[in-house]
Amino acid sequence: MSGDLATWPGLPYALLFLEWEARFPQEWTRHAKSWGTKQSLIRDMARSHQDEAVKAKLTDLVEIVVRRAYRCKDREYVRVARAVDSADLRGRLDRAVDSDSPWARYQAGYVLWLLDHPELPNTRHVWRAWVAGQAAALI
């Protein structure tokens, strides 16, 4: 992608690609698996200025991703969460933390914690410390 995200003609297709992977992971893996493309698109979405419609779609994607079992490059969605941080996103993440799914509880809790600590990088070390309950030592 080059230029402004809002005027990029490929934006609807990029969002559709990410939504396909988020909602139908097995089919996506069978037909379109490209972890590098997924990572690049997520990073582009997080770096660019988004209009309200794109922010809404990205908020939906963050919610979908934290509620499912982790897939390759999902950690990149923290960038998106930071870029579209809002009361709506935090409310959705709070509901995921209260869900019956252990995946949702951990992933949503971690994203919320990183939203509250923007100075921390989203690394495996930080994730492991947070899961182990040692995150306070990082701040």
Side-chain angles (χ1 to χ4, degrees), residues 1 3-6 8 11 14-15 18 37-51 54-55 57-59 61-62 73-85 89 111 115 122:
M1 183 202 75
D4 181 31
L5 181 68
W8 179 46
L11 176 61
L15 289 169
L18 293 173
T37 299
K38 175 184 175 181
Q39 180 178 24
S40 294
L41 288 173
I42 293 169
R43 288 180 176 187
D44 286 345
M45 298 293 161
R47 275 194 302 262
S48 301
H49 174 75
Q50 308 95 359
D51 64 23
V54 173
K55 283 183 181 180
K57 178 59 80 176
L58 293 174
T59 298
L61 286 171
V62 170
K73 306 298 180 187
D74 278 356
R75 197 163 42 92
E76 296 291 335
Y77 276 99
V78 168
R79 295 172 189 265
V80 171
R82 285 175 164 170
V84 300
D85 190 8
L89 175 63
V111 173
L115 289 176
N122 178 27

Side-chain angles (χ1 to χ4, degrees), residues 58-123:
L58 293 174
T59 298
D60 290 346
L61 286 171
V62 170
E63 180 182 20
I64 292 166
V65 168
V66 300
R67 288 184 171 275
R68 69 169 189 199
Y70 180 86
R71 288 178 49 85
C72 186
K73 306 298 180 187
D74 278 356
R75 197 163 42 92
E76 296 291 335
Y77 276 99
V78 168
R79 295 172 189 265
V80 171
R82 285 175 164 170
V84 300
D85 190 8
S86 67
D88 178 39
L89 175 63
R90 287 175 181 255
R92 293 179 190 205
L93 293 171
D94 282 335
R95 287 187 293 281
V97 166
D98 291 336
S99 78
D100 292 335
S101 165
W103 286 106
R105 286 194 305 268
Y106 271 111
Q107 292 181 133
Y110 178 68
V111 173
L112 279 167
W113 183 74
L114 282 179
L115 289 176
D116 289 340
H117 297 92
E119 73 282 3
L120 290 176
N122 178 27
T123 63

